[in-house]
Amino acid sequence: MAPLLGGETLQERSKGKDVRQSNIVAAKAVAAAIRTSLGPRGMDKLMQLPSGEVLISNDGATILSKMNVLHPAAKMLVECSQSQDIEAGDGTTSVVVLAGALLDACGGLLNKGIHPAMIASSFYKAAEACTSILKETAARQVELSDRESLVNAVQTCLSSKVVSQNSDLLAPIAVDSVLNVLGDNPAEATNVDLRDIRMVEQLGGTVDDTELVRGLVFDKGSTKTAGGPSQIENAKIALIQFCLSAPKTDMDNNVVVSDYAAMDRILRDERKYILNLCKKIKKSGANVVLIQKSILRDAYNELSLHFLAKMGILVVTDVERTDVEFVCRTLGCTPVPHVDSLSPEKLGTAEHVGDVVLPGSGHKVVKFVGVSNPGHTSTVLLRGSNDLVLAEANRSVHDAQCVVRSLVKQRYLIAGGGAAETEASLRLRELALETTGLDSHCFKAYADALEVIPYTLAENAGLKPIDIVTELRKAHAEGMVGAGIDVKKGRISDMYDMNVIQPLLVTTSAIKLATETVCMILKVDDLVVVM
């Protein structure tokens, strides 16, 4: 180990330095890979998965989750993006770009001989300062009853997606689907479970045909034989988990029948058994039957469908086991495991159940409308011309719903377009001037790193980043808190006037998670490979 020189600069062993440098380079490479997809003018990434499937997306979390990252430090950035996706749902690219800029700042501070533990400690203080600055000076409170503000925030989120041209349609759908789930008094809600919103994808038509269904939709038509009903008014719905087919033995075995009389008797008994089941269903008052998918034996057969059709009962087959809970909460029914336990109080209700032919594809779906919906659920029927568009529309609507969820968690909105980061950077610089010691150096480096967001937004929009960021700093210094980059006109505008707004939680969560990840990478000074 080299002898310590005079003064207080850190002379650390070379291995720790090399490992830290390697970690910083690897993590910055990941940040550089998705930096171009930030903002409304960001580029999309085309990914070919090992299965040969092709995926188009510019959602940071999606891109990084599909990337085969080997370096452990780079993996930490991927996990950081996943954490942001869970916590806020939006800002998954920003968090990685910000982490990359902070690591760049760390490189400069380490070269000055500042100890990594000191840098980490100062960065934590800077992140705390930024979140409190944004909440006190830049954020505006919002109520969930103010639907227009919610739609504006969602449109800002959708502006950077592949389906941005459909944001006028998708934004209200995302807002309404979340508000439906909140129930009668949304003001008291503190969180939303997005599993209460079911996304049903149907190929055909365009994204403009997407709709919010206040009820339930199954992605296939009803199963019916000749003469079976396809529309039912004032439906009484039974969800059955038993099989409408002949019983089988538990073990695999064969029955050898030698004469026709015995064969006739078997068929007659089978017919009698199934007819008895169908009569019990009819007796309960059900006129719509949902049959759960079965693995062990046929959930239904032609004979049972024939009997049910004769009784005027509409049948929907192959209900997935995972969907049973959602269906029950939406329709207010109880799953019935055995025919003897089927009774009128276990039935759900709906004003109308019927097959609907979707425009543009000819596909049929079963729609349940006018349901009592005691569990407060929503269904979004997504349409798209191909699988790529459909998958990206699904991800985009999910991100949009996450934005509304962020506003339910923390009811503050701030300006988008790099305004929040520039404001935090400016206030942090002022704080650095008032602070003494190493904290002052680290605060200044942190403030410089925050400007990577407006810089990248300008760069991706084809503007001159240095000119734009300088102009943005000037506007904020003059007290224009909402000043941000208008990428459409290529100038600085007030983002609040243009309704470019986003939840406070998205930005504060990104700052905290990026800082945590960077500090964790900084504190690593050795790489131990365990074989």
Side-chain angles (χ1 to χ4, degrees):
M1 185 175 169
L4 284 173
L5 303 173
E8 291 193 1
T9 56
L10 168 75
Q11 298 287 324
E12 66 173 336
R13 66 200 183 99
S14 61
K15 187 176 182 192
K17 206 171 183 178
D18 293 344
V19 167
R20 195 171 288 117
Q21 199 56 42
S22 148
N23 288 347
I24 289 175
V25 168
K28 275 166 65 180
V30 169
I34 64 163
R35 191 177 158 182
T36 52
S37 61
L38 181 73
R41 290 280 189 268
M43 296 294 173
D44 301 332
K45 301 278 184 261
L46 181 70
M47 290 159 279
Q48 186 160 18
L49 307 182
S51 61
E53 188 189 342
V54 174
L55 195 70
I56 297 175
S57 181
N58 69 355
D59 176 47
T62 307
I63 297 166
L64 289 174
S65 65
K66 303 294 179 193
M67 276 166 77
N68 191 10
V69 180
L70 298 174
H71 197 286
K75 274 183 182 166
M76 287 169 72
L77 244 65
V78 176
E79 284 162 12
C80 170
S81 177
Q82 304 294 343
S83 303
Q84 174 75 358
D85 197 30
I86 293 164
E87 175 63 22
D90 193 22
T92 49
T93 313
S94 308
V95 72
V96 178
V97 172
L98 191 54
L102 289 172
L103 286 167
D104 209 11
C106 290
L109 293 170
L110 288 167
N111 291 340
K112 286 180 183 174
I114 301 175
H115 194 283
M118 279 299 303
I119 299 172
S121 162
S122 297
F123 272 18
Y124 276 127
K125 287 179 195 167
E128 282 300 318
C130 282
T131 49
S132 57
I133 285 165
L134 288 175
K135 192 165 183 178
E136 286 159 21
T137 61
R140 295 183 179 183
Q141 222 165 347
V142 65
E143 289 303 321
L144 293 180
S145 53
D146 182 3
R147 185 170 175 274
E148 195 181 336
S149 295
L150 301 187
V151 170
N152 288 334
V154 169
Q155 280 184 329
T156 305
C157 162
L158 290 173
S159 66
S160 62
K161 307 290 181 198
V162 177
V163 291
S164 56
Q165 68 273 20
N166 304 99
S167 60
D168 290 346
L169 170 81
L170 296 179
I173 286 177
V175 171
D176 292 341
S177 65
V178 175
L179 293 180
N180 284 356
V181 170
L182 288 177
D184 302 327
N185 43 354
E188 291 174 18
T190 53
N191 204 344
V192 186
D193 187 355
L194 293 183
R195 286 173 299 189
D196 289 344
I197 303 170
R198 188 163 184 249
M199 311 289 260
V200 178
E201 295 180 7
Q202 272 295 334
L203 202 59
T206 62
V207 179
D208 287 329
D209 297 328
T210 298
E211 59 177 312
L212 175 66
V213 180
R214 296 183 188 279
L216 189 64
V217 174
F218 284 103
D219 54 5
K220 51 176 269 187
S222 61
T223 309
K224 64 179 199 303
T225 53
S230 61
Q231 308 290 330
I232 298 278
E233 296 290 337
N234 299 324
K236 295 273 188 287
I237 304 151
L239 173 58
I240 64 171
Q241 294 178 309
F242 54 87
C243 299
L244 292 178
S245 58
K248 283 185 180 176
T249 52
D250 290 340
M251 287 181 293
D252 229 0
N253 60 8
N254 296 321
V255 178
V256 180
V257 181
S258 53
D259 63 330
Y260 284 112
M263 197 187 291
D264 283 348
R265 197 162 65 249
I266 288 171
L267 289 172
R268 195 166 60 246
D269 281 354
E270 183 181 325
R271 189 184 170 90
K272 196 174 171 184
Y273 174 80
I274 291 172
L275 182 59
N276 189 31
L277 288 179
C278 294
K279 277 181 176 172
K280 284 184 178 175
I281 291 171
K282 180 69 178 169
K283 191 180 174 186
S284 71
N287 51 14
V288 175
V289 173
L290 311 179
I291 304 176
Q292 186 181 309
K293 218 175 199 175
S294 174
I295 305 165
L296 298 173
R297 53 188 256 222
D298 297 333
Y300 61 94
N301 58 19
E302 284 299 316
L303 196 58
S304 57
L305 290 178
H306 168 73
F307 286 141
L308 290 170
K310 279 272 193 289
M311 294 171 181
I313 295 174
L314 186 143
V315 183
V316 180
T317 56
D318 298 339
V319 176
E320 293 287 349
R321 191 181 293 267
T322 49
D323 292 339
V324 167
E325 189 195 348
F326 183 90
V327 170
C328 291
R329 286 173 55 203
T330 307
L331 301 176
C333 58
T334 309
V336 181
H338 192 270
V339 69
D340 292 340
S341 57
L342 183 60
S343 56
E345 58 270 14
K346 291 189 178 176
L347 304 182
T349 55
E351 285 173 17
H352 181 85
V353 177
D355 284 349
V356 177
V357 179
L358 297 176
S361 67
H363 278 296
K364 278 186 181 177
V365 295
V366 184
K367 253 188 200 179
F368 293 70
V369 290
V371 298
S372 55
N373 203 345
H376 298 295
T377 58
S378 287
T379 305
V380 178
L381 179 60
L382 282 168
R383 307 295 309 284
S385 52
N386 60 41
D387 287 327
L388 294 177
V389 173
L390 207 52
E392 184 58 20
N394 194 342
R395 283 191 292 274
S396 301
V397 172
H398 180 265
D399 279 5
Q401 288 164 345
C402 287
V403 166
V404 186
R405 187 184 65 183
S406 299
L407 288 169
V408 173
K409 284 184 183 176
Q410 207 174 17
R411 290 168 199 193
Y412 287 96
L413 282 169
I414 51 167
E421 290 83 1
T422 312
E423 180 66 21
S425 170
L426 184 78
R427 300 280 171 250
L428 202 56
R429 273 203 191 85
E430 290 171 2
L431 190 62
L433 294 173
E434 298 164 14
T435 315
T436 53
L438 293 177
D439 277 354
S440 177
H441 275 292
C442 298
F443 280 10
K444 190 173 180 310
Y446 196 98
D448 289 342
L450 282 175
E451 285 187 346
V452 73
I453 301 289
Y455 187 95
T456 307
L457 282 176
E459 199 174 48
N460 289 350
L463 310 172
K464 292 179 181 172
I466 294 172
D467 294 359
I468 289 283
V469 172
T470 312
E471 205 180 321
L472 195 56
R473 270 190 210 161
K474 178 173 173 281
H476 278 268
E478 289 168 356
M480 191 173 164
V481 179
I485 302 169
D486 179 359
V487 290
K488 288 177 184 166
K489 292 179 183 167
R491 60 193 173 101
I492 303 299
S493 306
D494 191 327
M495 295 287 111
Y496 286 120
D497 293 346
M498 294 178 63
N499 290 325
V500 178
I501 46 180
Q502 62 185 35
L504 174 68
L505 185 69
V506 171
T507 307
T508 54
S509 166
I511 289 172
K512 282 178 188 169
L513 288 170
T515 309
E516 274 175 22
T517 307
V518 167
C519 293
M520 218 181 280
I521 291 173
L522 261 188
K523 287 182 178 176
V524 173
D525 75 336
D526 211 340
L527 187 62
V528 181
V529 180
V530 182
M531 298 304 282

